[in-house]
Amino acid sequence: MKDLKEHENYIRQALESENVNFNWVGLRDYHKSKIEFLQHERLTHLLVTLSFGLFFLISVFFTIVFPRMEIVLLDLLFLLLLIPYIVYYYKLENTVQFWYQIFSEINAKIK
């Protein structure tokens, strides 16, 4: 997440600058490539999050059908792993949405 904030700060500084000769097309292309990398990471984490969610639901189903302490511990393990994945995915999703807005701001500078 540190790299994401550094990139955001770099783009914000460029947008706030009064430099008339700034290469906005180059900045837009650079920012677009960063968005593409972030979208790929977001997709990967979505798949992992959905997988852990499915594993958790299957585990809960087995707990209901076969109530044993070992399966309850497995439920807790999946839940403890699922919560951070959901939080991280939420942050990635919000970052991508924010970067779309920044992309629009850069396009406005170009026009």
Side-chain angles (χ1 to χ4, degrees):
M1 290 304 241
K2 180 184 174 190
D3 293 339
L4 303 178
K5 289 295 177 191
E6 287 176 1
H7 175 72
E8 263 179 46
N9 289 337
Y10 171 72
I11 298 295
R12 279 280 151 218
Q13 288 174 357
L15 285 170
E16 292 169 358
S17 75
E18 300 296 326
N19 187 352
V20 183
N21 298 325
F22 194 82
N23 182 4
W24 293 110
V25 174
L27 183 67
R28 180 191 62 193
D29 293 343
Y30 172 69
H31 185 60
K32 184 177 179 183
S33 71
K34 288 290 207 175
I35 288 174
E36 290 168 355
F37 286 126
L38 192 59
Q39 287 173 329
H40 181 267
E41 183 176 352
R42 181 181 65 167
L43 176 62
T44 303
H45 281 280
L46 174 63
L47 294 174
V48 170
T49 302
L50 290 175
S51 297
F52 269 95
L54 181 63
F55 297 154
F56 174 69
L57 291 176
I58 291 170
S59 178
V60 168
F61 172 74
F62 274 98
T63 302
I64 292 169
V65 175
F66 308 105
R68 297 184 53 155
M69 190 58 177
E70 296 86 6
I71 303 175
V72 171
L73 292 175
L74 187 63
D75 293 345
L76 291 174
L77 176 66
F78 281 131
L79 184 62
L80 288 176
L81 290 171
L82 183 61
I83 291 171
Y85 276 120
I86 291 172
V87 169
Y88 187 71
Y89 181 77
Y90 176 79
K91 289 179 182 178
L92 282 176
E93 180 65 32
N94 284 341
T95 301
V96 169
Q97 296 299 320
F98 181 66
W99 283 14
Y100 290 156
Q101 292 173 350
I102 292 174
F103 187 80
S104 296
E105 291 178 35
I106 294 171
N107 276 334
K109 290 275 191 176
I110 292 172
K111 295 176 183 175

